[in-house]
Amino acid sequence: MASVLSGPAVQALFGARLPVLQAGMGGVAQPELAAAVCEAGGFGMIGLYRHEEGEICELLARTAALTPARFGVNFVPFVLDAEQLLGRLACLADRPERPVVTFFGLPEARVLRSLPAGMDYGAQVGSREDLDAAFDAGLRFGVLQTVEAGGHHLGALTRARALDQADQLLAGGRMVFLSGGISNAAELRLALDAGYAGALCGTVFAATEESAAHARYKQAIVDARPDDTMVTDRFSIGWHTHRHRVIRNRSCDGDLSAGVIGFAHYFGKRYPILRYSVAVPTAQTEGQIEDMALYCGTSCKDTHAVRTVRQVLADLTS
């Protein structure tokens, strides 16, 4: 079957043949995943979370060595103050890769007023009000997240409401992608038919061969069904401002000690992971993996095996 193709505006901005953006999931979305998505026709992003400038430059160079395609980076303004965020954006301005920048949530107004010129910016938000604010600030695209999404939630919209209210949400020809539990071609087609530019997907890519997620985390996604996920505020150490959808585990069900349950190894450093930490288990994590934050959206309904990125995109777009 023929694949669903991106519209001209999406292809011009992202260089993506397929109308699918891969979420910049902190820890999970490393160069190998972002590059694989780009090579398969979608648009890949690196999750930068709290990365420092030297680490960011290394991640950009590693990704560019794996693909000649344009790719993106994702920042989380909630865990960086304005000066930290502006410093990281300034270091991107002179990089040859010229990545597309996506913010998970809107940065402070003074950040939006001081964005370095020459880069393309967008934001993932969870409400019509924040979507309006993003475009009023001059951002080129938006991602509207619904509560079916795994990870941290930015609002309370359901996907059904986002589809029903598409005319108002997309007024003025805005380029907006829909995010939250989209895991098959029929759901992507509904979003496109409603006027969305495409979909941003996270969980289905977290469970791929190219993802940096820990193997036991990937298998937990494969084994889970939507009823096995829950929205909670349990995993708040390191980021306490938002509720999140995770796979229910021991940490969700009991009031256990917030002691060290593992360690993450990254850029030559070893970081302790506390129970109820925001940290997601990656391939470089050791310890009680099943008790950590296993972010997972309702898209686990169509994730029956650990697949390649190319297989995921084929299933989404055929």
Side-chain angles (χ1 to χ4, degrees):
M1 292 184 289
S3 290
V4 174
L5 300 180
S6 297
V10 173
Q11 292 195 38
L13 177 58
F14 299 100
R17 177 173 54 84
L18 303 173
V20 179
L21 312 185
Q22 164 246 310
M25 301 163 283
V28 170
Q30 294 296 308
E32 293 74 16
L33 176 59
V37 172
C38 292
E39 288 293 290
F43 184 74
M45 287 192 275
I46 310 168
L48 296 183
Y49 191 54
R50 295 183 187 270
H51 282 297
E52 299 175 354
E53 293 171 19
E55 296 171 349
I56 291 171
C57 292
E58 181 177 332
L59 291 167
L60 292 175
R62 281 172 50 195
T63 308
L66 295 171
T67 180
R70 194 175 197 196
F71 57 89
V73 296
N74 185 58
F75 285 106
V76 182
F78 305 108
V79 300
L80 298 169
D81 64 34
E83 295 307 317
Q84 290 173 323
L85 184 52
L86 284 170
R88 285 157 172 77
L89 291 170
C91 88
L92 290 180
D94 297 326
R95 292 293 305 179
E97 298 88 1
R98 301 182 67 79
V100 175
V101 175
T102 301
F103 300 114
F104 186 83
L106 283 178
E108 296 178 29
R110 67 189 180 109
V111 172
L112 292 172
R113 289 194 299 267
S114 306
L115 293 176
M119 289 194 288
D120 294 310
Y121 300 95
Q124 183 170 176
V125 298
S127 69
R128 179 178 178 179
E129 293 75 19
D130 281 351
L131 196 61
D132 291 343
F135 283 99
D136 288 346
L139 302 191
R140 291 199 61 185
F141 65 96
V143 178
L144 184 63
Q145 184 204 57
T146 68
V147 295
E148 291 85 358
H152 291 79
H153 283 181
L154 296 166
L157 271 177
T158 64
R159 178 146 39 94
R161 279 185 61 199
L163 292 169
D164 288 343
Q165 298 175 9
D167 287 347
Q168 297 97 319
L169 292 163
L170 307 177
R174 296 167 167 176
M175 184 190 296
V176 180
F177 296 83
L178 192 59
S179 175
I182 295 174
S183 56
N184 58 57
E187 291 171 339
L188 176 59
R189 172 53 68 190
L190 282 174
L192 292 169
D193 287 348
Y196 289 94
L200 179 141
C201 302
T203 300
V204 293
F205 289 118
T208 58
E209 292 179 7
E210 296 89 343
S211 156
H214 195 283
R216 302 211 302 268
Y217 175 25
K218 295 180 188 182
Q219 191 59 46
I221 295 173
V222 169
D223 293 340
R225 292 298 168 261
D227 287 348
D228 299 319
T229 71
M230 64 181 296
V231 178
T232 179
D233 59 2
R234 283 295 177 115
F235 299 95
S236 59
I237 297 176
W239 180 357
H240 64 276
T241 52
H242 295 79
R243 288 163 66 80
H244 31 264
R245 185 181 291 278
V246 296
I247 298 171
R248 184 189 293 272
N249 60 16
R250 279 204 322 150
S251 297
C252 300
D253 291 335
D255 290 318
L256 304 174
S257 169
V260 174
I261 61 170
F263 294 89
H265 300 265
Y266 212 54
F267 280 95
K269 301 174 185 176
R270 186 171 186 251
Y271 300 94
I273 297 177
L274 300 177
R275 187 183 301 278
Y276 305 121
S277 166
V278 70
V280 63
T282 72
Q284 289 76 41
T285 302
E286 59 183 271
Q288 299 174 43
I289 304 301
E290 286 79 8
D291 285 0
M292 296 178 188
L294 306 178
Y295 302 117
C296 180
T298 61
S299 52
C300 60
K301 65 187 183 296
D302 290 313
T303 306
H304 305 302
V306 176
R307 297 171 288 172
T308 66
V309 160
R310 196 169 292 275
Q311 288 170 325
V312 168
L313 280 169
D315 289 345
L316 277 168
T317 61
S318 293

